[in-house]
Amino acid sequence: KNRNVVMSCSCKGIRTCLLCEQQNREPAFRLPAIRLFYCPACQNSRSTADGECAEPCRPPDEIIQQLLLPPASATANVDAADAAAPAEQTIWSEPAVRQLLTLSGVTVLPNFVSADEEAAMLAAIHASPWTDSQSGRRKQDFGPKVNFKKQKIRSEMFTGLPAFSRLLVDRIQACSATADFEPVELCNLEYTKARGSAIDPHKDDAWLWGERLITLNLCSATHLCFSRPRRECEGLSCDFEIAVPLPQRSLVIVQGAARHNWDHAIHRSDIADVRMAITLRELSAEFAAGGPREADGQQLRAIAATFAGRVSTSSTGGGSS
């Protein structure tokens, strides 16, 4: 762990960390009223993070009944996009609420690297320079420079994935479910309790980045929290989230409904001390064989596979967790 860190604030807009909150900035995000936990064994939600799988687990009846109560006059976590959306008068049934609480598309692989491999990766990571990021995080980007609004890519400064990640990529590709995973971007994000590090609910870009988001969780255990946009939950009494436990040295794969229908976040309350996230991203179908940007995809994959990368000074801005 790197303890010799000069803390500075790089928050913009509504994002905050403990440093800028000490200057009387109010955090915009509030934790959901209800937290459920994802069971990796049966892929259902339950009320506790630990314990044996109930085969299958299910949300407690009292949680369902709480959500079915009439909505309060004011709700938390309504962002600008949600506030502008027209409210829909939805009458919820118990089966519909249970279906809403079903999170699919998350796979957690515990002990994906050993303690020695973790230590070697962290040493390599801290040998490269950091850039302060929003919400109390520090980051390192290895990828092309991207303008997502204009859908433009510049690859001249992209020198490949970092050398230390070759072991990680090889191991991911050795798994049958991810044998065809070809990452072209790697982002290291450091979270610390001292800075109040977090990342608010968001979805990663889907124009450039492909179906699977893969993150290796190092240094400590945490939770990756999934929530639905409030406009999809009109008529429920309050907001909720499903927290996916991520043990130290575990790998999490997010795809399908979890990738596209749910927002994901890391809360500062789930950072015990220091947490390091190594996130890898593949390209979307637009950059695959037969796609309109096939040539760009071939070039980016070839550069990434050199594993000779140096930290990029320009963020891709694709979102990470």
Side-chain angles (χ1 to χ4, degrees):
K1 298 174 182 178
N2 186 4
R3 299 295 187 181
N4 299 317
V5 176
V6 176
M7 293 194 296
S8 60
C9 174
S10 295
C11 298
K12 300 176 182 178
I14 63 172
R15 310 302 180 203
T16 65
C17 66
L18 286 181
L19 294 179
C20 56
E21 288 169 19
Q22 291 172 358
Q23 301 174 8
N24 297 321
R25 286 195 62 193
E26 287 291 330
F29 177 73
R30 296 291 187 271
L31 292 175
I34 292 176
R35 168 179 272 202
L36 293 168
F37 295 91
Y38 180 79
C39 174
C42 67
Q43 300 184 340
N44 288 302
S45 56
R46 58 188 185 181
S47 58
T48 59
D50 303 315
E52 296 296 324
C53 175
E55 299 180 349
C57 297
R58 52 185 275 146
D61 291 340
E62 57 267 26
I63 294 295
I64 303 298
Q65 295 307 313
Q66 181 180 346
L67 288 169
L68 286 171
L69 291 173
S73 58
T75 57
N77 298 336
V78 179
D79 60 25
D82 288 342
E88 296 184 6
Q89 298 300 320
T90 302
I91 299 176
W92 291 91
S93 65
E94 181 174 332
V97 173
R98 290 195 181 277
Q99 181 61 37
L100 186 70
L101 294 177
T102 300
L103 173 65
S104 62
V106 177
T107 303
V108 179
L109 303 176
N111 298 312
F112 197 76
V113 298
S114 69
D116 288 343
E117 289 167 340
E118 175 187 40
M121 288 182 181
L122 292 172
I125 288 170
H126 285 301
S128 293
W130 289 95
T131 299
D132 289 333
S133 186
Q134 298 198 69
S135 301
R137 305 184 307 271
R138 295 197 303 166
K139 66 180 179 180
Q140 296 172 345
D141 285 310
F142 297 85
K145 182 178 180 181
V146 183
N147 185 319
F148 289 98
K149 291 184 178 180
K150 297 182 179 181
Q151 295 191 345
K152 292 184 177 181
I153 303 171
R154 293 176 56 187
S155 60
E156 60 267 23
M157 299 300 292
F158 179 33
T159 54
L161 300 182
F164 80 82
S165 67
R166 185 188 293 269
L167 176 149
L168 177 58
V169 173
D170 286 348
R171 191 163 297 172
I172 290 171
Q173 293 176 343
C175 300
S176 59
T178 49
D180 60 344
F181 184 77
E182 296 182 90
V184 299
E185 197 250 12
L186 181 148
C187 180
N188 297 321
L189 279 179
E190 182 191 63
Y191 296 72
T192 67
K193 184 178 181 66
R195 293 195 300 267
S197 303
I199 188 164
D200 287 349
H202 68 283
K203 291 183 181 72
D204 280 36
D205 166 79
W207 160 68
L208 177 60
W209 306 133
E211 174 63 18
R212 294 164 293 192
L213 309 173
I214 297 183
T215 298
L216 183 66
N217 184 64
L218 301 180
C219 296
S220 63
T222 190
H223 290 95
L224 179 60
C225 297
F226 289 84
S227 58
R228 301 297 288 260
R230 183 63 198 177
R231 61 180 174 272
E232 297 180 11
C233 304
E234 291 294 337
L236 296 179
S237 65
C238 57
D239 47 8
F240 65 89
E241 68 179 7
I242 299 177
V244 178
L246 299 185
Q248 184 175 350
R249 296 189 294 277
S250 65
L251 189 86
V252 59
I253 304 169
V254 177
Q255 59 189 327
R259 163 84 164 96
H260 301 289
N261 299 339
W262 294 74
D263 295 337
H264 59 273
I266 297 286
H267 303 318
R268 67 173 58 163
S269 55
D270 289 321
I271 303 300
D273 185 11
V274 176
R275 183 240 179 183
M276 186 74 69
I278 303 175
T279 297
L280 294 154
R281 297 184 179 86
E282 63 185 346
L283 290 169
S284 69
E286 184 165 336
F287 297 84
R293 304 288 292 270
E294 177 182 359
D296 290 333
Q298 290 176 339
Q299 180 186 34
L300 291 173
R301 283 189 288 269
I303 296 172
T306 65
F307 292 97
R310 299 183 301 276
V311 171
S312 171
T313 56
S314 298
S315 170
T316 60
S320 299
S321 55

